[in-house]
Amino acid sequence: VVQVLDEATTGFRTLRVDTQPPLLRLEPELEGLITAETPLVVTGWVHDESDVRVLVNGNEAALVDYLFSGETSLVEGANEVVVEAVDAAGNTVSLSRHVTLDTQPPILGSATLEGLPAAGAALDTLSPRFEVLYDDSPAGVFGSGVSLKVNGAEQRRDSGITDTGVDLVLTSVQEGANYLLLVVPDRAGNEARLEVSFVVRAGWEVRVTDAGSPIFGAALIVPPGALPVGEDPGFTLDRFGAGVSALVTGQTAGAGMVLAGPLVEAGPSGT
C-alpha cells in the first residue's frame, strides 16, 4: 500500500500495489485423465485479494466465493486443458493439463475354441482352449478388469488373461450347451463384449431303439465309461469326437451300430 500526491486536489491518495498472481488449484486434478465424456467439467479453487476471473480454454468459468466450475469440449485422443486466473491488477497464473478422450470400446479379434471359430463351435472336449486378441487406442485395455465367464462361472486368471488377449484352458464347461461371456473394458470405461454359445459332445449319445421300452426314442448324452455294463439294452450308439468307441461282447461298436449283445465295457478309444 502506498500513498501518492493527487495534484488535482493537492491531497494524497492511497493506492494498493498488487504484483502477485492469484492462487489457483484444480480439484480434482486432471493431469493424465482418461475419459469417455465430453464436454469436460473443470472445477477447483482460486484466491486473490482483488476480484478475479477464471478461464477454461478461454471460456469464462462460474465463480462462487473461492470455487470455480467451467467446461471445455474435447476431441478424440490427446487434449490440452489450460486453466487461467486473472486478478484486477492483471496478474495471471495458468495451469496446463493433458487429458485423453476415448469414446470407442476395445477392438476384439477373431476368437477360437480349440483352433475352431468360436461362434457355434461343436467340440469333443470338456477342457477347450479359448483364444482371442484385443486392442484399444488411445486409452488402452484395463487388463485387471477383463472378465471371462463360462456358464456363469468366472474363469481363473493365472497368466492367461492379459492386457492384449486371452489364451486359457476353460473350466466349468459341461456336456451339451455352453455359454461364454467375455467383457473387455478400457481405461476410459468403454466395454467390448463377446458372447459365444457352443456345444460339447465329449461322450456317447445313447438312443433307445427297443419299441417295448417305456423310454423308446429317448436320447441321452453320457460320458465315456458311464454306460450300463452286463445288460442288453437294445441301444443304438452314436459317437462324438475322434477316437471314441465301445466294446460289446469283445467287439468294437461303431457309430450308429445296434448293440447285439450285453455291453461289457464302455469308454473312449476302446478302453
Side-chain angles (χ1 to χ4, degrees):
V1 177
V2 297
Q3 287 187 323
V4 297
L5 178 64
D6 187 339
E7 295 181 353
T9 62
T10 66
F12 288 92
R13 288 192 303 163
T14 300
L15 299 180
R16 181 181 298 276
V17 177
D18 182 4
T19 61
Q20 299 300 313
L23 300 176
L24 179 63
R25 184 170 66 197
L26 302 182
E27 294 180 352
E29 178 57 59
L30 296 179
E31 182 61 31
L33 174 69
I34 300 173
T35 181
E37 298 181 359
T38 184
L40 175 69
V41 177
V42 180
T43 57
W45 175 92
V46 65
H47 176 70
D48 194 81
E49 294 298 329
S50 63
D51 293 337
V52 64
R53 299 168 56 226
V54 177
L55 305 175
V56 178
N57 277 358
N59 302 316
E60 191 91 22
L63 185 62
V64 178
D65 295 329
Y66 298 114
L67 303 178
F68 69 86
S69 177
E71 290 186 351
T72 184
S73 297
L74 302 177
V75 298
E76 195 78 10
N79 294 262
E80 183 181 17
V81 178
V82 178
V83 182
E84 184 179 28
V86 184
D87 67 16
N91 300 302
T92 301
V93 62
S94 65
L95 301 175
S96 176
R97 298 293 186 263
H98 299 91
V99 175
T100 299
L101 176 67
D102 182 0
T103 62
Q104 302 301 312
I107 298 173
L108 301 181
S110 298
T112 61
L113 279 165
E114 286 293 287
L116 302 174
L123 308 175
D124 61 0
T125 175
L126 293 172
S127 301
R129 179 176 293 277
F130 174 68
E131 296 177 86
V132 64
L133 295 176
Y134 37 73
D135 186 33
D136 185 81
S137 181
V141 171
F142 180 44
S144 61
V146 175
S147 172
L148 176 62
K149 294 182 179 181
V150 174
N151 300 322
E154 193 78 35
Q155 300 297 284
R156 67 186 190 279
R157 299 190 64 86
D158 297 340
S159 59
I161 302 178
T162 69
D163 289 354
T164 58
V166 174
D167 183 356
L168 195 67
V169 174
L170 302 180
T171 60
S172 307
V173 177
Q174 61 191 17
E175 190 80 37
N178 291 266
Y179 174 72
L180 179 150
L181 173 61
L182 174 67
V183 180
V184 181
D186 66 18
R187 297 184 183 279
N190 306 297
E191 287 186 349
R193 296 168 64 92
L194 175 66
E195 301 178 58
V196 176
S197 295
F198 62 98
V199 175
V200 171
R201 292 174 174 171
W204 300 95
E205 181 183 79
V206 179
R207 290 184 292 154
V208 180
T209 59
D210 183 354
S213 170
I215 55 171
F216 171 67
L220 305 172
I221 298 288
V222 294
L227 295 178
V229 174
E231 301 177 7
D232 186 4
F235 286 155
T236 294
L237 219 56
D238 287 345
R239 62 180 180 176
F240 293 86
V244 179
S245 61
L247 294 178
V248 181
T249 61
Q251 301 296 319
T252 299
M257 294 182 62
V258 176
L259 304 189
L263 183 61
V264 177
E265 194 173 359
S269 303
T271 58

